[in-house]
Amino acid sequence: HASADVDIYQNLIKVDPTGQNSSAIHRVPEIRYSIVPQKFLGPALIGVDVNYVNFARAGKTFDDIQNVDVFSNGTSSYKTGQRLSTHPTIFIPVNLWDVFDVVPQAEYEETYYQFGYSSRPTTARRYLRTSINTKTRFSGIIGENEGLTATKYKHEIVPEVTYSVVPLFYQEDHPFFGSTNEFFQPIYTGNQPITEFDNLQFDYRDRLADSNILTFGITNKFIRKRLESSGNSEYREILLHKLTQSYDISSRNQPDVLVGKDNKLYNPIKQPFGEIRSLLELKLDYFTTLSDISYYPYVNKTNSSTSIAIRDRKGNGFAIGYSQSYQITPNYVLTDPPRPPVTFGARAEAATASVFLISKYLDVSGTTSYDVLRGQTGDFTQGFTSISLDGILKPPGKCWGIRATFTKVFGGDQQTALSFPIFFGEGKSFEMNRPTGI
């Protein structure tokens, strides 16, 4: 695979979101090249991913050209530059006794950065990650002896364990990564959001996550087999439930006392247990629902998102969604006064409603979003935040279409777009509009 993209962004976190856009950082261009896993030395498979990005912007909002290595609020002023990353992966799928699927894997990443100014215009980072995933399956068939034409259901239970560790890691002592003299380097997990402790400069690839972590999961699936009027059997996964949690060994193994750069003693907060995440999908003929719930054990708080859709066989119908989330900030060291391991900030509640109208040559959908908290503080109508309309004209043949979208943000700007999508299969056009509740 080879591709080249240009991504242009609009910075909305400013006083006038529609004003000057000189602070936004763009990817101009991003080039990707990858080789899908190929056979290598017997049962082993090897693949390679190469990624190049040039981060650019019109202004110099974050830069201090005269003293670019000076830190501000714990982070350096590098915000533009170039990054080249090479990531080969080798893994060996193994089946033991026809019971366990085991996949040991090794990944190596080499990344180079170039900034183009200051006395230190380049830096590099490299690491080796090893991991092993083990899973097994228990299954049974409901209605197995009811004849060939009967509807049957297969229930699968898939427990799995994944262990990931980074035994080799090197990055240069450079302001881009943060000073190596810091008394504490935060321990990241792959699903952790950006916080004030991050020294992120470009994106998530600039930090090392899951350096020594165990992840446990169990998945339940129901697959339906039904005989259609054509005489063919239809197989459909109607229920998926996945429950996962991680245990961060790196966090547990921290020393009890750390000496800061100010020669003071600090006590790190050890929080090895990650969030408990539950993902549920139910897909019936006329009814679908999606629920994503994350429970944080150290503070007894939950983020959740749920959506429900009702449609006929053509796709006509409606959907509603609701989400509740908290701003999450992990705390890494004890402070005076003390803070909990995770601080939950502002709470957000949002609701969405969508309508889908499907015809032979024209599909139309409409979605509106509502801020529940804003609507509770004053006039009910003040809670509406945006509305969007989406229409696809499908000429005979159902292989391509003309798509027009309109989005209006109340109190903000509006956007229109025109595209020419290509359909595969039966020309279903609104699969991308499945509600998420967010």
Side-chain angles (χ1 to χ4, degrees), residues 255-367:
D256 295 328
V257 178
L258 297 171
V259 180
K261 57 185 178 182
D262 52 7
N263 291 323
K264 293 182 179 180
L265 299 180
Y266 291 86
N267 300 106
I269 295 176
K270 301 182 181 183
Q271 41 189 354
F273 286 100
E275 65 188 80
I276 301 174
R277 185 179 181 187
S278 169
L279 178 65
L280 172 67
E281 279 190 274
L282 176 64
K283 296 180 287 187
L284 303 177
D285 291 333
Y286 306 105
F287 175 85
T288 61
T289 183
L290 173 65
S291 177
D292 192 348
I293 301 173
S294 294
Y295 172 73
Y296 297 85
Y298 291 102
V299 289
N300 195 27
K301 293 287 186 180
T302 301
N303 286 354
S304 62
S305 172
T306 302
S307 62
I308 296 173
I310 298 176
R311 300 193 190 191
D312 62 17
R313 289 190 177 274
K314 292 183 179 180
N316 299 293
F318 67 92
I320 56 175
Y322 170 79
S323 68
Q324 175 182 272
S325 61
Y326 295 84
Q327 182 180 355
I328 304 169
T329 304
N331 301 318
Y332 296 106
V333 293
L334 293 176
T335 58
D336 189 16
R339 294 189 297 177
V342 177
T343 299
F344 276 75
R347 179 171 63 93
E349 285 188 60
T352 60
S354 303
V355 176
F356 307 95
L357 300 175
I358 309 298
S359 64
K360 186 175 182 180
Y361 297 115
L362 178 66
D363 298 347
V364 179
S365 73
T367 301

Side-chain angles (χ1 to χ4, degrees), residues 139-150:
S139 64
I141 297 177
I142 302 172
E144 183 175 6
N145 300 317
E146 295 182 3
L148 297 176
T149 61

Side-chain angles (χ1 to χ4, degrees), residues 25 55 57 62-63 76-81 117 200-202:
I25 301 173
F55 297 91
R57 68 171 182 273
F62 303 101
D63 293 340
S76 70
S77 53
Y78 292 92
K79 294 294 180 183
T80 60
Y117 50 80
L200 282 184
Q201 301 299 313
F202 295 151

